[in-house]
């Protein structure tokens, strides 16, 4: 409960960053480089005199966007593929499951890295890349859930009463698989934050004018000698966001996709 | 056993082939042409002849299926093509860089396994005790903190504050830090898996029998639950192996380590086809090899396991 409230507060803050920042995040002020925290600049300024808090807020909004896209792709794509496979049965299901199993072995970050390098790194492209590369577990989870449901008495009786496949899926199967898949989305949200930070840190195809937590860490790593505070804040933002997500949606409590 | 090994070997080869085909298509269809990038980078005059000459030189004037067959036959024979960027054989470059990347990844994983067993055992010995809470703290924090940030903090702490290591130097101490970071992350996950399975085993009748025989809890856990818990741990290593590649990549970028991921980052922007596909094949090979080794070890631990 406490966790959900904190997470809700953080989410509001991230959303706020999408529409409003205290300063222009790209406004360069060479006279105020490496400024210490003050009322005007609560977190200080970076090596070009840009307001750190404003940059962090824009970056936060972009991270939140990635999580939303990854979650939506996993939820929609995974239930679509998994449920359709279970309903088809036979070799059609075998093929889909086999492909999903192969995709689990492929390192998500490397696939997303290549896709971002080609399409350019933005929250949308990274979200799509991470979402597609991570679709395997969602498909397997929703497939095994649907299979289990198909043998349940209430589904069998619905079928005996003449319910068509579409009606049965919408009324009896998806409402029962959705909560588990939602929990799985939640348990992966923290990982999505970290994966996006890693992509932005490596920086392939990134737009240098748009701040990201990971990209800021890469940019500020050279100032570890002079102003280590610069690399403290983005890292802390990643850790707090991912940590809160992991706390609220406990990854250890979610059933594995087998 | 031999039949099984041959069967999985054939399956592994088939998936390598499938991966190579998919990767080849994906790489060849990427937007931006390596020839045009090279002409701009080397300040050549973009005349018809230059373009055609480069294209022919790099074998890009042929059709896609032809290029794939040429690449595949070369790859199998150990000729991985020349890098567009450096003109050097790709295989030589990879052989120079692989020991570092694989070394960091494998030693990190081995260290993590070696540390997870005692930590998980101590955590299972007294659930809720110090070791249990400590391993949980590590597990929670490593899942919330990116590896490269731990690396940055390590640079600040060891390099700037204590001045023990030289940051960004790529020296042995930096390699050691990278290995330790990989180990720390994997240990967080693996020790929890080990502990969880151990406690599950400890609720079974055979464990109570062992206690009734007069074994201490520690002895009973070690002799009657370790095997199953270690099996669960190895299963978790399988999914950890992919993560290790990704975080080795970010650590190579952070510390400036000359591994294969750093090579990938340098090559992707100029569309260095031969390097890109070689990287994909190496990563796929690593995943399949890890899978095979772990499967073998798991079968030795539990012959019932299919």
């Amino acid at each position: 409960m406490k966790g959900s409230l904190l997470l809700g507060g953080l989410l509001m803050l991230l959303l706020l960053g999408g529409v409003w920042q205290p300063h222009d995040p790209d406004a360069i002020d060479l006279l105020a480089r490496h400024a210490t925290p003050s009322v005007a600049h609560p977190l200080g300024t970076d090596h070009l005199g840009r307001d750190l808090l404003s940059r962090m807020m824009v970056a936060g909004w972009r991270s939140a966007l990635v999580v939303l896209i990854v979650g939506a792709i996993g939820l929609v794509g995974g239930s679509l593929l998994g449920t359709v496979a279970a309903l088809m049965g036979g070799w059609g299901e075998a093929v889909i499951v086999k492909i999903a199993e192969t995709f689990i072995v492929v390192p998500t970050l490397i696939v997303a890295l290549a896709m971002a390098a080609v399409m350019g790194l933005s929250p949308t492209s990274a979200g799509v890349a991470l979402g597609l590369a991570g679709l395997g577990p969602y498909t397997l989870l929703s497939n095994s859930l649907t299979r289990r449901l198909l043998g349940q008495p209430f589904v069998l009786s619905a079928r005996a009463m003449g319910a068509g496949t579409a009606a049965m899926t919408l009324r009896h199967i998806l409402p029962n698989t959705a909560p588990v898949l939602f929990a799985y989305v939640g348990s992966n949200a923290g990982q999505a934050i970290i994966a996006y930070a890693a992509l932005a840190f490596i920086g392939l195809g990134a737009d240098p004018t748009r701040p990201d937590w990971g990209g800021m860490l890469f940019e500020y790593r050279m100032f570890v000698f002079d102003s280590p505070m610069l690399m403290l804040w983005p890292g802390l933002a990643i850790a707090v966001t991912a940590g809160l997500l992991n706390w609220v949606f406990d990854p250890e409590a979610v059933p594995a996709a087998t | 056993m031999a039949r099984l090994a041959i069967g999985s070997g054939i399956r592994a080869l088939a998936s390598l082939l499938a991966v190579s085909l998919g990767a080849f298509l994906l790489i060849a269809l990427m937007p931006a042409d390596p020839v045009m990038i090279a002409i701009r980078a080397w300040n050549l005059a973009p005349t018809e002849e230059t373009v055609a000459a480069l294209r022919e030189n790099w074998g890009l004037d042929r059709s896609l299926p032809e290029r794939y067959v040429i690449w595949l036959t070369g790859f199998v024979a150990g000729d991985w093509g020349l890098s567009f960027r450096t003109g050097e054989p790709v295989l030589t470059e990879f052989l120079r860089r692989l020991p570092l990347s694989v070394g960091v990844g494998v030693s990190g994983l081995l260290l993590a396994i070696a540390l997870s067993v005692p930590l998980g055992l101590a955590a299972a010995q007294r659930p809720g005790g110090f070791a249990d809470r400590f391993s949980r703290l590590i597990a929670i924090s490593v899942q919330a903190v990116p590896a490269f940030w731990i690396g940055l903090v390590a640079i600040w702490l060891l390099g700037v504050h204590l001045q023990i290591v030289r940051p960004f130097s790529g020296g042995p101490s930096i390699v050691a830090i990278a290995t330790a970071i990989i180990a720390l992350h994997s240990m967080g996950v693996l020790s929890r898996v080990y502990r969880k399975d151990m406690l599950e085993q400890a609720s079974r009748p055979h464990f109570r029998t062992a206690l009734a025989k007069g074994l201490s809890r520690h002895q009973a856990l070690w002799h009657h639950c370790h095997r199953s818990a270690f099996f669960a741990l190895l299963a978790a290593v399988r999914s950890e192996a992919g993560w290790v590649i990704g975080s080795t990549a970010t650590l190579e970028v952070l510390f400036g380590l000359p591994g294969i991921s750093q090579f990938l980052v340098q090559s992707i922007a100029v569309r260095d086809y031969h390097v890109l596909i070689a990287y994909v094949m190496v990563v796929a090979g690593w995943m399949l090899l890890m899978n095979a080794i772990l499967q073998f070890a798991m079968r030795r631990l539990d012959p019932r396991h299919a």
Side-chain angles (χ1 to χ4, degrees):
Chain A
M1 195 56 222
K2 232 188 318 178
S4 318
L5 281 179
L6 282 173
L7 187 63
L10 182 67
L11 198 67
M12 299 296 277
L13 208 64
L14 296 183
L15 289 182
L16 176 70
V19 290
W20 178 85
Q21 307 92 27
H23 295 269
D24 177 357
D26 294 319
I28 293 173
D29 182 359
L30 291 176
L31 292 177
R33 296 166 63 217
H34 293 301
T36 45
S38 60
V39 180
H41 302 287
L43 300 184
T45 60
D46 70 1
H47 59 295
L48 296 174
R50 297 174 294 192
D51 180 46
L52 196 61
L53 179 65
S54 306
R55 292 182 75 70
M56 296 266 301
M57 286 176 77
V58 177
W61 157 245
R62 289 160 65 82
S63 292
L65 207 58
V66 172
V67 172
L68 289 180
I69 295 173
V70 171
I73 291 180
L75 197 62
V76 176
S79 12
L80 200 69
L81 283 171
T83 312
V84 166
L87 290 173
M88 275 199 307
W91 66 266
E93 181 180 20
V95 168
I96 293 183
V97 167
K98 198 82 220 160
I99 292 177
E101 276 173 354
T102 328
F103 253 78
I104 284 190
V105 209
V106 178
T108 322
L109 194 65
I110 300 299
V111 177
L113 191 66
M115 283 169 85
V118 173
M119 299 192 294
L121 187 71
S122 68
T124 327
S125 74
V128 170
L130 287 171
L132 289 180
L135 205 51
Y138 287 97
T139 307
L140 292 183
L141 181 60
S142 104
N143 181 255
S144 73
L145 286 171
T146 310
R147 285 181 66 122
R148 215 174 302 159
L149 283 171
L150 283 176
Q152 295 274 318
F154 71 95
V155 175
L156 292 175
S157 62
R159 182 158 261 182
M161 283 170 71
T165 306
M168 190 183 68
T169 311
L170 286 178
R171 271 195 69 90
H172 296 297
I173 292 182
L174 288 183
N176 281 303
T177 58
V180 186
L181 282 169
F182 257 118
Y184 195 57
V185 167
S187 74
N188 277 337
Q191 275 181 28
I193 294 269
I194 290 186
Y196 182 59
L199 287 179
F201 182 81
I202 294 176
L204 280 180
D207 177 355
T209 63
R210 303 260 163 209
D212 276 310
W213 287 338
M216 290 166 82
L217 282 175
F218 185 76
E219 199 179 349
Y220 298 154
R221 81 193 189 292
M222 286 306 175
F223 304 103
V224 64
F225 304 99
D226 312 318
S227 37
M229 290 305 269
L230 277 182
M231 55 158 236
L232 175 72
W233 293 113
L236 215 55
I238 299 170
V240 167
T241 313
L244 260 180
L245 284 166
N246 285 345
W247 182 28
V248 175
F249 309 100
D250 184 3
E252 279 186 32
V254 173
T258 40
Chain B
M1 195 72 214
R3 259 223 342 262
L4 263 170
I6 292 170
S8 40
I10 290 175
R11 259 202 305 281
L13 280 183
S15 23
L16 265 185
L17 201 66
V19 167
S20 78
L21 188 61
F24 188 87
L25 278 177
L26 208 71
I27 290 168
L29 299 178
M30 283 200 305
D33 182 356
V35 174
M36 296 323 259
I37 295 175
I39 283 177
R40 239 174 298 136
W42 297 335
N43 270 328
L44 299 174
T47 57
E48 300 261 323
E49 294 112 71
T50 333
V51 173
L54 270 180
R55 227 174 262 288
E56 200 195 327
N57 197 6
W58 292 347
L60 297 178
D61 51 343
R62 299 164 196 271
S63 69
L64 267 186
E66 254 183 297
R67 271 164 57 191
Y68 178 68
V69 171
I70 291 174
W71 171 81
L72 188 65
T73 44
F75 184 83
V76 173
D79 171 18
W80 291 14
L82 300 179
S83 159
F84 296 167
R85 190 168 57 95
T86 61
E88 302 263 322
V90 172
L91 182 62
T92 329
E93 189 75 35
F94 263 82
L95 288 180
R96 192 158 52 218
R97 289 166 177 271
L98 257 179
L100 182 71
S101 298
V102 172
V104 168
V106 168
S107 49
L109 266 181
L110 286 179
L111 190 63
I113 295 174
L115 292 174
S116 296
V117 171
L119 184 61
L121 186 64
Q125 173 86 5
R126 276 186 54 205
F130 174 73
D132 194 16
R133 274 180 295 161
F134 176 68
S135 77
R136 186 165 163 73
L137 180 73
I138 292 185
I140 290 178
S141 33
V142 294
Q143 274 168 32
V145 180
F148 55 87
W149 194 52
I150 303 183
L152 270 172
V153 173
I155 287 182
W156 175 74
L157 200 67
L158 301 174
V160 182
H161 223 65
L162 303 175
Q163 309 206 334
I164 307 173
V165 298
R166 271 197 267 154
F168 313 118
S169 67
S173 52
I174 292 293
V175 176
I177 292 179
T179 312
I181 291 173
I182 302 268
L184 182 72
H185 182 282
S186 300
M187 186 181 78
V189 179
L190 297 181
S191 66
R192 292 312 282 179
V193 171
Y194 185 85
R195 168 198 168 274
K196 191 174 167 217
D197 193 82
M198 202 158 237
L199 286 182
E200 242 168 65
Q201 292 297 316
S203 67
R204 296 259 181 97
H206 76 266
F207 183 73
R208 227 175 317 154
T209 312
L211 288 184
K213 267 190 341 189
L215 292 183
S216 70
R217 183 175 167 86
H218 185 83
Q219 286 169 320
L221 279 175
W222 179 250
H223 290 291
H224 295 276
C225 305
H226 165 72
R227 216 167 227 263
S228 157
F230 197 66
F231 184 86
L233 183 144
L234 289 184
V237 170
R238 265 161 88 167
S239 45
E240 198 69 14
W243 179 89
V244 166
I245 297 179
S247 43
T248 324
T250 56
L251 290 177
E252 278 175 21
V253 170
L254 168 63
F255 292 128
L257 295 175
I260 59 168
S261 298
Q262 192 203 42
F263 195 34
L264 172 82
V265 171
Q266 293 164 350
S267 306
I268 224 166
V270 294
R271 303 286 185 266
D272 202 337
Y273 288 166
H274 291 145
V275 177
L276 300 187
I277 193 152
Y279 184 84
V280 173
M281 296 308 284
V282 167
V283 168
W286 151 270
M287 295 301 288
L288 288 169
L289 192 68
M290 287 299 285
N291 232 338
I293 292 174
L294 289 167
Q295 201 126 37
F296 177 73
M298 285 161 79
R299 211 190 297 276
R300 284 295 291 273
L301 277 176
D302 184 357
R304 288 170 306 177
H305 181 72

